[in-house]
Structures are given as structure tokens and as C-alpha cells.
DNA sequence: AATGGGACCTGCGCGC
DNA sequence: TGCGCGCAGGTCCCAT
């Protein structure tokens, strides 16, 4: 699942390969992923436009275009951006001035492309919580103070904090030694600090290793991300904890697979 | 405010 | 072997 580290990896690689190139053609193989405007207008408005910036907000990628508009790309679970692509198996492909294709793949068709005048007006953006790397311990403490929900649920809430998904929620809670069902406001001061440190540490390391390739995620180059090798709990049900050998447990929390070590996490 | 459910989707692994 | 089923999860939306 593309979460913050995966989307940031893609952003950095895109910046290297598509920045300042012009889109010369838009090929739409499945218009379902184009949410706005209408596919025909989408293609027309993007043709002849230069890409002058690639940024990320949470799990959302934003291409800054010379037309003054922005292309917002949400990969959801199965989205990929591949360069150079072949425009064959993609949902939408962008032909660039060097004649190579940038492919937007999305096997489950849940991804979204939106060409908008102002990305700041997107509902998703308006509601988006703080970027984890910008979060101070004092502010984090404040954010947790009155919250009655379970800590893992809260970490997954993009309005609370942006960029964490199911993999990294599990991983950071393991590193902070906190049980996923603990109520947010019940965390001690020490646990709050441990959790924030774990969030920053895990996300940074995951970026360094170019993300976690589980399911469909690959880098723009098509290479896998190596952080999966460092997963402590995610997708490790019944396997021994690397710290204490206790079998990792899995249960469903809010409809999501939730992994933790019953001995290490309290 | 929080929680639980369904909806959107398709590919995969499982059991029979 | 082949088929049907449940599951995977990011986000939105609705009901309670």
C-alpha cells in the first residue's frame, strides 16, 4: 500500500525523470480513475502543458503545471506510476516531450486523478492532518489529550496525522511498544514521546529504503522497495517476534488487519 | 466524538 | 483441475 514513504519515494523519482518535460499526449484506457474534469477535457487541458513541480501532501501527489493548474494523483492501494512505461496495461498514460510514457496503473481502479485549478481547495487537502515530520512533541501531546479512540485508529486517520497507513501504523506501534488498542489519551508522557520518535524514525528509514513492496507498490523505475525486509510485525501473524520470540498476533481493528507482539506491546 | 458498517474495486489464495 | 468465496485496504459516506 502506498503510504507516506512510498509516495515520497515516487515523488523524488518523478522529480528526477519528468520535471520540466511537456505532456504531448494523454492516453486514456479507463476513464473511471479520472474524477475531474470530464475525461475529454482532462486530456485536452493536459496536452501541451509542462510539468514544473512535483510535491506531496500526505499520500497525495501533486504535479504543478505550466498552465497554472495542478494534477492531483491519489494511488490508493494499487496505484503505480511507471516511467518509462508502455501505455498498454495502464489506466491512463502521459506521453512526454522525449516520447516516453509515464503510466498510471491501478489494478483495483480506486485511484484518482484530478485536474484542478487549486490543490488547496481539494476537500482531502482541507481536512488533511499535520505532516509527521513537522510535528513537535508538545503539539503531539496536545493532539492526543482529549482523544477517546484507539491509538491505531487515530494513526490511520488522515485528518489527525497525514501519511500513515496500515503497514506503518503497525510498525510504529511496535517500535514504541504500545498496544494498538490503547486509548489515545491514556498514553503516558513517555509513551507519547516514544510514539512520535517511532513515527519519525520508521518513516524516515522506510523512505531511505524506498518504501515497502507489499501488494502492488513499486518505485517509478519498477524496482521494489526494500523496507519490507525490516517489517517487525506487519503481515507476520504467528511468526516469532524478532525481539522476544513470542508469536505475532493478528486481529481485526476497525476492519483492518492489525498485527502486534503481545509481549512487547502493552 | 467515536464507532461500525458498506461502498468502491480486482487479483489472489484458499478450500472443496 | 477448476470454481466460488473471502479478503486485502485508503477514503468517503451514512447510521447510530
Amino acid at each position: 500500500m502506498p503510504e507516506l514513504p512510498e509516495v515520497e519515494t515516487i515523488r523524488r523519482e518523478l522529480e528526477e525523470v519528468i520535471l520540466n518535460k511537456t505532456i504531448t499526449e494523454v492516453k486514456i484506457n479507463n476513464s473511471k480513475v479520472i474524477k475531474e474534469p470530464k475525461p475529454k477535457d482532462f486530456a485536452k487541458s493536459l496536452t501541451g502543458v509542462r510539468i514544473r513541480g512535483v510535491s506531496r501532501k500526505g499520500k497525495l501527489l501533486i504535479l504543478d503545471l505550466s498552465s497554472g493548474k495542478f494534477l492531483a494523483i491519489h494511488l490508493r492501494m494499487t496505484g503505480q506510476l511507471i516511467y518509462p512505461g508502455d501505455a498498454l496495461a495502464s489506466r491512463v498514460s502521459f506521453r512526454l516531450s522525449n516520447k516516453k510514457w509515464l503510466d498510471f496503473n491501478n489494478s483495483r481502479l480506486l485511484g484518482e486523478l484530478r485536474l484542478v485549478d487549486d490543490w488547496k481547495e481539494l476537500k482531502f487537502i482541507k481536512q488533511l492532518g499535520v505532516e509527521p515530520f513537522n510535528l513537535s512533541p508538545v503539539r503531539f501531546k496536545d493532539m492526543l489529550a482529549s482523544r477517546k479512540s484507539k491509538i491505531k485508529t487515530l494513526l490511520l486517520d488522515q485528518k489527525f496525522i497525514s501519511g500513515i497507513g496500515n503497514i506503518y501504523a503497525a510498525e510504529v506501534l511496535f517500535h514504541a511498544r504500545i498496544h494498538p488498542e490503547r486509548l489515545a489519551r491514556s498514553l503516558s508522557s513517555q509513551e507519547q514521546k516514544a510514539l512520535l520518535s517511532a513515527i519519525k524514525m520508521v518513516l524516515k528509514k522506510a523512505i531511505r529504503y524506498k518504501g515497502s513492496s507489499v501488494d502492488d507498490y513499486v518505485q517509478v523505475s519498477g524496482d521494489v522497495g526494500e523496507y519490507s525486509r525490516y517489517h517487525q510485525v506487519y503481515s507476520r501473524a504467528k511468526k516469532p517476534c524478532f525481539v522476544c520470540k513470542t508469536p505475532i498476533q493478528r486481529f481485526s481493528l476497525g476492519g483492518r488487519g492489525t498485527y502486534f507482539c503481545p509481549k512487547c506491546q502493552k
Side-chain angles (χ1 to χ4, degrees):
Chain A
M1 281 52 58
E3 303 177 22
L4 188 154
E6 289 74 30
V7 180
E8 178 60 21
T9 299
I10 290 171
R11 188 199 71 75
R12 292 179 183 186
E13 204 176 347
L14 277 184
E15 202 164 55
E16 281 178 33
V17 296
I18 69 170
L19 195 63
N20 289 322
K21 292 194 172 69
T22 296
I23 297 170
T24 59
E25 184 184 344
V26 179
K27 187 181 175 202
I28 300 171
N29 294 324
N30 190 320
S31 59
K32 197 161 257 179
V33 295
I34 300 172
K35 303 300 177 182
E36 62 181 302
K38 299 233 181 304
K40 209 174 175 180
D41 297 329
F42 178 90
K44 197 178 167 190
S45 301
L46 280 169
T47 305
V49 157
R50 185 173 54 83
I51 298 156
R52 60 184 188 190
V54 187
S55 58
R56 174 190 63 74
K57 299 287 166 188
K59 302 172 193 170
L60 189 71
L61 277 169
I62 300 166
L63 303 191
D64 177 3
L65 306 167
S66 61
S67 59
K69 292 179 186 269
F70 299 90
L71 178 59
I73 305 172
H74 203 306
L75 302 169
R76 287 291 213 281
M77 287 85 70
T78 58
Q80 300 176 332
L81 285 163
I82 301 294
Y83 177 92
D86 57 18
L88 297 174
S90 65
R91 302 306 189 184
V92 176
S93 290
F94 306 91
R95 192 167 157 95
L96 304 175
S97 33
N98 62 356
K99 298 192 163 50
K100 292 184 177 176
W101 291 98
L102 173 67
D103 283 359
F104 176 66
N105 298 336
N106 199 224
S107 72
R108 277 175 231 178
L109 282 173
L110 295 174
E112 297 188 353
L113 300 177
R114 292 178 190 273
L115 181 62
V116 296
D117 290 332
D118 186 358
W119 61 270
K120 288 179 184 163
E121 293 301 316
L122 288 165
K123 191 181 170 198
F124 178 80
I125 290 292
K126 286 191 161 183
Q127 299 184 338
L128 198 62
V130 60
E131 166 89 7
F133 299 127
N134 298 339
L135 190 49
S136 70
V138 173
R139 176 143 181 229
F140 191 49
K141 184 188 184 76
D142 215 46
M143 286 164 57
L144 290 168
S146 59
R147 305 300 293 250
K148 295 176 191 170
S149 55
K150 293 168 182 171
I151 187 61
K152 189 199 173 205
T153 307
L154 205 50
L155 292 178
L156 289 175
D157 182 354
Q158 302 302 297
K159 301 179 189 70
F160 178 77
I161 187 170
S162 64
I164 299 175
N166 207 34
I167 295 172
Y168 295 104
E171 294 299 313
V172 301
L173 286 170
F174 175 82
H175 284 277
R177 306 176 62 89
I178 296 169
H179 190 291
E181 288 190 290
R182 285 281 299 285
L183 297 190
R185 64 176 179 184
S186 80
L187 267 53
S188 70
S189 180
Q190 199 173 5
E191 286 172 328
Q192 293 168 356
K193 279 181 194 153
L195 181 53
L196 184 58
S197 301
I199 290 170
K200 293 182 182 180
M201 186 275 284
V202 167
L203 295 180
K204 270 181 192 158
K205 187 169 174 188
I207 292 171
R208 192 155 70 241
Y209 284 92
K210 320 270 187 197
S212 302
S213 278
V214 303
D215 284 357
D216 289 10
Y217 167 74
V218 289
Q219 302 178 50
V220 172
S221 62
D223 293 342
V224 298
E226 299 292 344
Y227 190 71
S228 341
R229 287 171 25 209
Y230 298 91
H231 289 181
Q232 301 291 304
V233 289
Y234 183 79
S235 202
R236 296 197 63 246
K238 297 178 183 169
K239 294 178 180 164
C241 172
F242 292 128
V243 172
C244 74
K245 307 287 191 278
T246 303
I248 299 301
Q249 287 184 13
R250 178 194 185 279
F251 70 103
S252 185
L253 201 177
R256 311 302 221 334
T258 299
Y259 302 86
F260 75 108
C261 171
K263 188 169 178 192
C264 294
Q265 294 174 255
K266 299 292 181 193

